[in-house]
Amino acid sequence: MRKKIVAGNWKMNLDYMEGLSLFSEIVNMIGDEKKGTQTAVICAPFIHLYSIGKLAADKVGVGAQNIHQNDSGAFTGEISAKMVKSAGADYVIIGHSERRQYFAETDELLLEKTKAALKNELTPIFCVGETLDERNNGSYFDVLKRQLQHGLFSLDAADFSKVVIAYEPVWAIGTGLTASPEQAQEIHAFIRAEVATAYGLETADLTSILYGGSCNAGNAPQLFAQPDIDGGLIGGASLKSRDFTDIVKVFNS
């Protein structure tokens, strides 16, 4: 069975004590909510990783939001996958739309970051998605195919099997527009079909694909009910313990 994952992305929010407090609340509230193949993860700023890792108690996974593609070197201000792993993280977000937009990260660079994550035994949550212009001009399938082919599909099958994919409809984030469950399912099914073409049906069926477009407790039941949506990459709702926990609980309802 595919792993069901609800991954919170705190982005650049919360000082040290705020992060510690929120994570403690989440761990306590989730309790025994996770069942079977279900996983909850918090991807936090670097300053939180070690401390929240100590609180995780096997109830909540810990992830970083970015890594550098090299293990070490003269890269002032950067953090390597090796460092993130040593701080207690098991996951890392690769290629979030904000990294692509604001930091000009290319598919080729993201492939190198994915390889660095895998080398250091981190699970990459690899993000793909189209902008509003790409949605409107009908090029979104080509955009997604390119992101997958250039960013992931040169991995061997063993490495690819360790990757989680997250679909972000960039056009539905902070724009007032909303992707319907049917629109989200269409893209998730397309992504799974592309994985099947590259790696075979068995690998495609085992690949977790998360939805990352303004997912919240209100729309999560409809989204998670879709056959190819295996959870969510959660932004703003992960900054409130009750909201995040309610999303995690959707899989048990």
Side-chain angles (χ1 to χ4, degrees):
M1 293 180 63
R2 293 196 294 272
K3 182 177 287 188
K4 304 298 185 181
I5 301 171
V6 177
N9 176 16
W10 286 355
K11 304 191 180 183
M12 195 177 72
N13 292 293
L14 306 178
D15 66 22
Y16 180 78
M17 293 307 298
E18 290 169 341
L20 207 60
S21 175
L22 176 56
F23 192 82
S24 297
E25 291 178 8
I26 290 172
V27 170
N28 291 333
M29 292 174 70
I30 283 179
D32 296 324
E33 295 292 346
K34 297 190 295 97
K35 298 178 181 179
T37 58
Q38 183 180 342
T39 299
V41 180
I42 291 294
C43 295
F46 298 125
I47 64 166
H48 298 304
L49 296 182
Y50 181 77
S51 296
I52 67 174
K54 294 297 184 183
L55 296 173
D58 296 325
K59 295 180 180 179
V60 181
V62 174
Q65 299 172 14
N66 181 42
I67 52 171
H68 194 271
Q69 64 271 26
N70 291 304
D71 274 348
S72 61
F75 304 103
T76 301
E78 293 292 332
I79 303 289
S80 71
K82 182 178 180 181
M83 293 173 179
V84 165
K85 183 67 177 181
S86 73
D90 292 311
Y91 294 82
V92 60
I93 299 172
I94 302 287
H96 190 280
S97 59
E98 292 161 1
R99 298 295 310 179
R100 292 175 184 267
Q101 178 180 357
Y102 302 136
F103 300 94
E105 292 189 348
T106 64
D107 296 323
E108 291 73 20
L109 173 62
L110 299 177
L111 173 61
E112 295 308 308
K113 290 191 175 192
T114 300
K115 290 178 179 178
L118 293 167
K119 175 184 173 183
N120 288 278
E121 300 182 333
L122 293 170
T123 297
I125 302 175
F126 188 92
C127 300
V128 297
E130 79 278 14
T131 65
L132 182 59
D133 285 345
E134 291 162 344
R135 165 63 59 162
N136 287 338
N137 66 26
S139 66
Y140 51 97
F141 285 129
D142 291 335
V143 170
L144 293 165
K145 181 178 288 192
R146 185 200 72 233
Q147 291 173 345
L148 291 166
Q149 289 180 340
H150 294 182
L152 285 180
F153 285 176
S154 63
L155 296 174
D156 63 34
D159 276 344
F160 179 83
S161 69
K162 302 170 186 175
V163 174
V164 173
I165 297 174
Y167 167 59
E168 296 182 285
V170 184
W171 55 273
I173 301 174
T175 62
L177 301 173
T178 303
S180 69
E182 293 75 21
Q183 285 175 315
Q185 165 59 23
E186 177 189 37
I187 298 299
H188 280 241
F190 172 79
I191 291 170
R192 201 174 303 283
E194 290 297 306
V195 173
T197 299
Y199 293 100
L201 287 172
E202 182 177 358
T203 295
D205 191 52
L206 292 173
T207 299
S208 296
I209 307 176
L210 313 183
Y211 177 74
S214 299
C215 184
N216 55 57
N219 61 21
Q222 292 75 35
L223 288 165
F224 294 177
Q226 302 301 313
D228 289 296
I229 298 179
D230 304 310
L233 179 59
I234 314 300
S238 69
L239 295 171
K240 297 180 180 179
S241 55
R242 171 51 61 196
D243 290 353
F244 184 72
T245 304
D246 283 347
I247 297 171
V248 173
K249 290 168 64 177
V250 167
F251 282 118
N252 299 333
S253 59

